[in-house]
Each structure stands twice: as C-alpha cells, then as structure tokens.
Amino acid sequence: MDPLLLEWLDILVRWTHVITGIAWIGASFYFNWLESHFRPLETPKDRVEGEVWLVHGGGFYRVEKFAVAPPTLPKELHWFKWEAAFTWISGILLLALLYYVGSTGDFLTIEALAPYGIGAAIVVSLSTIAICWTVYDLLWKSAWAEGNPGGAMAVTFVGLVLVALLLSKIMTAHAAYIHVGAVIGTIMTANVWMIIIPNQRELVEATAAGTKPEGKYAKQAKFRSLHNNYFTLPIVFIMLSKNWASTWGHEWNWAILAGVAVCGIAVRHFFNRRNKGGAREAFWLLPAAAVGMIVLFYVVRG
C-alpha cells in the first residue's frame, strides 16, 4: 500500500477512535457519577427512586431515576450504544492498519510461527480476542460468579495478566500491549451490545406491554456497566502507550502493564467511592496509586 495513503488512513481511523472513545468514556463516567448522586424526593412520586439536580452551561437540570422502569414510556428514549460500537470498529480497523495491511506477520516473535506469515499472525490476533471474550462472558454468567463477585473479579484480573504474559512471548512488545487493549475493548463493547442493551430492551418491552419488568435484567446490565467503568483507565493507558517505550519495551512489560492497571483501577475506585460520599475512607487509594507508579518507575529504571 502507498505509504502516504496508509498514513492518512491511520490519521482518519485513529482520530475517529479517539473521538468516539472520548464520547463513550465520558458517558460512562457521567452515568456512574449520576448513579451515585441520586437522593430521595421530598415529595415521593410513583416508581421514582431518586433525583439529582445539576447546573451546567447557564441552565438547571433535574434528573429522575425510576425503580426498574416508569409506568409508561416517553415518545423518545435515548440509548447510549453507538459510542461503544464505533470505538470498537475504529479500534479493530486501526489494529488491521498497523499489523495486517502490508505486514508479513513479523510482529510474531516465535520462530516456529514466522514461516506461516501474515495468515498465522491474523489468526492468532483475532482468535485471542474472541476466546478472551468467550471465557470472560461464560465466567460472569456462571452461578459461581453471581455468588462470588469478588473472586470472579480476581479471576478476571489474573486471566488478563496471563493473556498479557502470553502475548508478550509471541508478539513484539507494543503489539502485545495493543492486543491486550483490543481484548479489553472487545469485552467492554460486547458488554454493551450483548448484555447491557439486550437487558435494557427487555425492560423497555415489558414496560411497553404493561407488565412489570424483572429486576434481574437491570441488575445484570448495571453490573457489566460497572465492569466497563473499572476497565476505562487501563485501556486509556494502552491507547496512549505508544508514547512510552520504557513500559512496553521492558523485559517485564506484561508485569508493568498489570501494575499500571492496578494503579488505574485504584484511582477509578477512589472516584467511585467519593461519588458515594466515601472520599475520606478511600482517600488512601490516591497516595497508594502514586507510590505504585513510583515503584514501577524504579523497576523500569533498573
């Protein structure tokens, strides 16, 4: 492919990826903030669980949250799903531009796979992404995960660290980071399109039919949304990681990525706790994350 054409395709797709990613993450942060700030109404309303008042851009806003669903549906109901879809689509296209188009598969580092060229490289790449989503989804649909969410979260984190370790052994350094990001991004997008949106549609259809929606659908959607909330800071780091060769270029790059992810999750958890009024109890997470980053600096420095 013409190098100039490839560069401008990279510009277009990467720009789209960043714009849609900002829209998606911004909506995620906003709704998680909103969820934590609902307060009981002074004058109770039918099925209304809480409300929150906001001021922005010279206007006042009042947002109400219904317990499961309202008695009737409005004429226009806004869904937040296309931000996730276009972030993922542009991300996969960017992955293809970087490692598939015009490549010979040389981002794989195992000599035994090198003779198979780009075909083997693409199979390894796409298979890793698909398998990781399947395993994650099966785990979180299991009865064990429902009864042991803390244990399931630990399994999820360890599993992603093992994926990073494996990819660091069969791909070039930065390609391994990007593929970990592709795995997480696919999990997040699939959570939206295969769990959150279908469950919300069940709520909408039940409400439209005049029947009482089942609370389990709202619970499942909210749980996967929370997963996506904690994934955001690690994946933003990966999206920007091309600028920081000292991380992905290190011999322990997979462990450094895991450490940075823990720091990002700690920061996200602090803000989630703060939004619920627990800033004092969770404040220690910020200096802990800072110490963690300092430790990682000295690890990289050697």
Side-chain angles (χ1 to χ4, degrees), residues 2 16 29 31 34 43 115 117 122 131 147-148 160 162-163 175 225 231 295 302:
D2 182 347
T16 301
F29 281 9
F31 277 103
L34 199 63
T43 304
I122 294 175
I131 291 171
N148 301 274
L160 288 172
L162 291 176
V163 169
S225 178
F231 280 139
V295 170

Short mmCIF file of all heavy atoms in Angstrom, two decimals, residues 2 16 29 31 34 43 115 117 122 131 147-148 160 162-163 175 225 231 295 302:
data_model
loop_
_atom_site.label_atom_id
_atom_site.label_comp_id
_atom_site.label_asym_id
_atom_site.label_seq_id
_atom_site.Cartn_x
_atom_site.Cartn_y
_atom_site.Cartn_z
N ASP A 2 0.42 2.29 -0.69
CA ASP A 2 1.12 3.56 -0.74
C ASP A 2 1.33 4.06 0.69
O ASP A 2 0.37 4.23 1.46
CB ASP A 2 0.26 4.55 -1.52
CG ASP A 2 0.93 5.93 -1.66
OD1 ASP A 2 1.93 6.18 -0.95
OD2 ASP A 2 0.44 6.74 -2.46
N THR A 16 -10.90 9.07 14.56
CA THR A 16 -12.25 8.55 14.85
C THR A 16 -12.24 7.75 16.15
O THR A 16 -13.16 7.88 16.98
CB THR A 16 -12.74 7.66 13.70
OG1 THR A 16 -12.76 8.41 12.49
CG2 THR A 16 -14.13 7.11 13.99
N PHE A 29 -18.45 7.69 32.56
CA PHE A 29 -18.11 8.41 33.79
C PHE A 29 -19.32 9.20 34.29
O PHE A 29 -19.59 9.25 35.50
CB PHE A 29 -16.93 9.35 33.55
CG PHE A 29 -15.59 8.66 33.55
CD1 PHE A 29 -15.49 7.28 33.57
CD2 PHE A 29 -14.42 9.40 33.50
CE1 PHE A 29 -14.26 6.64 33.56
CE2 PHE A 29 -13.18 8.77 33.51
CZ PHE A 29 -13.10 7.39 33.53
N PHE A 31 -22.60 8.69 33.79
CA PHE A 31 -23.69 7.88 34.34
C PHE A 31 -23.30 7.20 35.65
O PHE A 31 -24.15 7.00 36.53
CB PHE A 31 -24.15 6.85 33.31
CG PHE A 31 -25.14 7.40 32.33
CD1 PHE A 31 -24.74 7.74 31.05
CD2 PHE A 31 -26.45 7.62 32.69
CE1 PHE A 31 -25.63 8.27 30.14
CE2 PHE A 31 -27.36 8.15 31.79
CZ PHE A 31 -26.95 8.48 30.50
N LEU A 34 -23.68 9.93 38.09
CA LEU A 34 -25.10 10.16 38.30
C LEU A 34 -25.70 9.11 39.22
O LEU A 34 -26.47 9.42 40.14
CB LEU A 34 -25.82 10.14 36.94
CG LEU A 34 -27.19 10.80 36.83
CD1 LEU A 34 -27.10 12.29 37.12
CD2 LEU A 34 -27.76 10.55 35.43
N THR A 43 -41.03 15.03 47.85
CA THR A 43 -42.42 14.60 47.64
C THR A 43 -42.38 13.35 46.76
O THR A 43 -42.11 13.44 45.56
CB THR A 43 -43.26 15.69 46.94
OG1 THR A 43 -43.21 16.89 47.71
CG2 THR A 43 -44.70 15.22 46.79
N PRO A 115 7.30 -18.68 9.62
CA PRO A 115 7.15 -19.12 8.24
C PRO A 115 5.71 -19.06 7.71
O PRO A 115 5.49 -19.02 6.50
CB PRO A 115 7.65 -20.57 8.26
CG PRO A 115 8.57 -20.62 9.43
CD PRO A 115 7.95 -19.72 10.44
N GLY A 117 3.69 -16.63 8.10
CA GLY A 117 3.42 -15.28 7.65
C GLY A 117 2.20 -14.62 8.24
O GLY A 117 1.75 -14.93 9.35
N ILE A 122 -2.68 -13.11 11.80
CA ILE A 122 -4.07 -12.65 11.92
C ILE A 122 -4.91 -13.65 12.72
O ILE A 122 -5.74 -13.26 13.56
CB ILE A 122 -4.68 -12.40 10.54
CG1 ILE A 122 -3.96 -11.24 9.84
CG2 ILE A 122 -6.18 -12.13 10.63
CD1 ILE A 122 -4.41 -11.00 8.41
N ILE A 131 -11.54 -15.56 21.94
CA ILE A 131 -11.50 -16.53 23.05
C ILE A 131 -11.60 -15.83 24.40
O ILE A 131 -12.30 -16.29 25.30
CB ILE A 131 -10.22 -17.38 22.96
CG1 ILE A 131 -10.29 -18.31 21.74
CG2 ILE A 131 -10.01 -18.20 24.24
CD1 ILE A 131 -8.99 -19.03 21.45
N GLY A 147 -22.49 -15.60 42.91
CA GLY A 147 -22.38 -15.71 44.36
C GLY A 147 -21.05 -15.26 44.91
O GLY A 147 -20.92 -15.04 46.13
N ASN A 148 -20.04 -15.14 44.04
CA ASN A 148 -18.70 -14.75 44.47
C ASN A 148 -18.12 -13.69 43.53
O ASN A 148 -17.12 -13.94 42.84
CB ASN A 148 -17.76 -15.97 44.51
CG ASN A 148 -18.25 -17.05 45.44
OD1 ASN A 148 -17.97 -17.03 46.63
ND2 ASN A 148 -18.99 -18.01 44.89
N LEU A 160 -6.44 -11.79 32.64
CA LEU A 160 -5.94 -10.77 31.73
C LEU A 160 -4.43 -10.60 31.85
O LEU A 160 -3.74 -10.36 30.86
CB LEU A 160 -6.65 -9.43 31.99
CG LEU A 160 -8.11 -9.36 31.54
CD1 LEU A 160 -8.76 -8.07 32.03
CD2 LEU A 160 -8.21 -9.47 30.02
N LEU A 162 -2.36 -13.02 32.61
CA LEU A 162 -1.80 -14.18 31.91
C LEU A 162 -1.86 -13.99 30.39
O LEU A 162 -0.95 -14.40 29.67
CB LEU A 162 -2.55 -15.45 32.32
CG LEU A 162 -2.33 -15.92 33.76
CD1 LEU A 162 -3.21 -17.14 34.07
CD2 LEU A 162 -0.86 -16.26 34.00
N VAL A 163 -2.93 -13.36 29.91
CA VAL A 163 -3.03 -13.06 28.49
C VAL A 163 -1.92 -12.10 28.08
O VAL A 163 -1.26 -12.29 27.04
CB VAL A 163 -4.41 -12.45 28.16
CG1 VAL A 163 -4.43 -11.88 26.74
CG2 VAL A 163 -5.50 -13.50 28.31
N ALA A 175 2.93 -4.49 20.10
CA ALA A 175 1.80 -5.25 19.56
C ALA A 175 1.09 -6.02 20.67
O ALA A 175 -0.13 -6.14 20.68
CB ALA A 175 2.27 -6.21 18.48
N SER A 225 -21.94 -2.76 33.37
CA SER A 225 -21.56 -1.35 33.21
C SER A 225 -20.48 -0.98 34.22
O SER A 225 -19.56 -0.22 33.89
CB SER A 225 -22.80 -0.47 33.41
OG SER A 225 -22.46 0.89 33.31
N PHE A 231 -12.59 -0.78 33.75
CA PHE A 231 -11.68 -1.05 32.65
C PHE A 231 -11.16 0.23 31.98
O PHE A 231 -10.14 0.20 31.28
CB PHE A 231 -12.38 -1.89 31.57
CG PHE A 231 -12.46 -3.36 31.86
CD1 PHE A 231 -13.63 -4.07 31.59
CD2 PHE A 231 -11.38 -4.05 32.40
CE1 PHE A 231 -13.71 -5.43 31.84
CE2 PHE A 231 -11.45 -5.41 32.65
CZ PHE A 231 -12.63 -6.11 32.37
N VAL A 295 7.13 3.04 42.25
CA VAL A 295 7.77 1.72 42.27
C VAL A 295 7.99 1.22 40.85
O VAL A 295 9.06 0.69 40.51
CB VAL A 295 6.93 0.71 43.08
CG1 VAL A 295 7.46 -0.70 42.90
CG2 VAL A 295 6.92 1.08 44.56
N GLY A 302 15.57 0.14 36.54
CA GLY A 302 16.51 -0.95 36.81
C GLY A 302 17.54 -0.56 37.83
O GLY A 302 18.64 -1.12 37.87
#
